[in-house]
Amino acid sequence: MHINILRHKYVQVKQISQICAIVVLGYGENLKYQREEHGLSQTELAQKIGTSHQNINRWERGEVMPSIDFCVQLADFYGITLDELIGRELR
């Protein structure tokens, strides 16, 4: 019985990991697209949301993921949903 529960949990985690990997693949490009659509430089955006231009650069290159707090802040700033911010399409 315990093995079946563990197998089920493993499958759930694996599925979630795969979904997250799909979502994360293009997040940097989407962040850059939104910034450019609003006519902002990395420095201007950084000043408006309270971070450094180096962080914006790392996010856009996909080196580092922004925290959920910054994702919410960016989505609110741009007037879009979190899904739109990271380029996730709901089916």
Side-chain angles (χ1 to χ4, degrees):
M1 173 118 181
H2 292 297
I3 293 172
N4 287 336
I5 291 171
L6 290 175
R7 245 187 238 142
H8 179 68
K9 292 290 181 192
Y10 172 76
V11 170
Q12 286 179 332
V13 169
K14 187 173 181 181
Q15 289 170 340
I16 291 169
S17 297
Q18 289 170 343
I19 291 167
C20 289
I22 291 167
V23 169
V24 167
L25 284 177
Y27 78 92
E29 289 131 14
N30 289 311
L31 295 176
K32 183 177 181 177
Y33 171 80
Q34 288 297 328
R35 178 181 57 77
E36 290 177 344
E37 277 293 302
H38 287 82
L40 298 169
S41 69
Q42 289 180 346
T43 301
E44 291 168 328
L45 176 60
Q47 290 170 347
K48 290 182 183 294
I49 66 166
T51 192
S52 68
H53 70 276
Q54 292 94 336
N55 278 341
I56 303 292
N57 185 275
R58 285 190 285 259
W59 297 343
E60 289 182 359
R61 288 184 301 164
E63 280 183 21
V64 178
M65 288 187 66
S67 70
I68 190 67
D69 293 332
F70 274 112
C71 287
V72 169
Q73 203 171 350
L74 286 165
D76 288 347
F77 177 79
Y78 293 135
I80 60 176
T81 67
L82 287 170
D83 288 322
E84 291 169 318
L85 180 70
I86 63 171
R88 180 173 177 246
E89 292 182 25
L90 299 176
R91 295 179 190 128

